[in-house]
Amino acid sequence: MKIFNADQIRIIDDFTIINEPISSLNLVKRAARNLASEFKKTYKKGCKIAAIVGKGNNGADAVAMSIEMIQEGYLVDVFIPKQYTVCENDNELLEGFKLNSQDRKICYIDDSEWNKQLFENYDIIIDGLLGVGLNRKVKGIES
């Protein structure tokens, strides 16, 4: 798997948006399928995964990947900072998560609840908080 830097990802995103008739949501779902495919090559079913979800496309990617992983038999819980407002794509994806994950949970967490013990029972953490569009100082939960 090739890893791209932020500038390369922006170029790839721009190219895809200009040259493919694909909605933002379907682009997120396609990325999630490909990420899940790569993930399955390394990690076995049964591992516990925490997806920490931010706002915007990075958060949407993390939720969509969580759905893919649950459908493949992985144990995934989603954590969302309470102060984040979810966008329309996120709402649709979160509803999909609920439908696909009867025994998993979505946790809305405020600043005072975030600590490393919150995640000590998880084998893997998916970071969906910050993406390549970050243009401000990182603080609070994000740090």
Side-chain angles (χ1 to χ4, degrees), residues 25 28-29 60 63-64 67 89-97:
L25 180 59
V28 164
K29 288 179 178 179
V63 175
I67 293 168
N89 280 354
D90 296 338
N91 277 331
E92 184 174 334
L93 289 167
L94 288 171
E95 287 304 313
F97 180 87

Side-chain angles (χ1 to χ4, degrees), residues 12-28:
I12 292 167
D13 280 349
D14 289 344
F15 178 86
T16 303
I17 290 166
I18 291 168
N19 292 292
E20 285 192 42
I22 189 168
S23 71
S24 173
L25 180 59
N26 285 333
L27 186 58
V28 164

Side-chain angles (χ1 to χ4, degrees), residues 51-126:
I52 306 173
V53 176
K55 50 189 167 183
N57 288 338
N58 204 45
D61 288 340
V63 175
M65 183 177 174
S66 297
I67 293 168
E68 291 288 327
M69 300 313 299
I70 284 171
Q71 290 173 341
E72 293 292 331
Y74 292 84
L75 307 171
V76 185
D77 293 325
V78 171
F79 294 83
I80 304 171
K82 279 185 182 174
Q83 77 268 22
Y84 282 0
T85 308
V86 294
C87 66
E88 185 177 330
N89 280 354
D90 296 338
N91 277 331
E92 184 174 334
L93 289 167
L94 288 171
E95 287 304 313
F97 180 87
K98 290 174 190 173
L99 290 172
N100 285 284
S101 59
Q102 296 137 3
D103 63 339
R104 304 316 307 161
K105 60 187 173 189
I106 298 175
C107 305
Y108 293 89
I109 308 294
D110 63 35
D111 277 345
S112 65
E113 297 172 297
W114 286 94
N115 58 57
K116 71 179 187 178
Q117 288 79 25
L118 186 62
F119 304 105
E120 65 186 7
N121 293 322
Y122 292 92
D123 302 307
I124 297 167
I125 296 174
I126 297 171

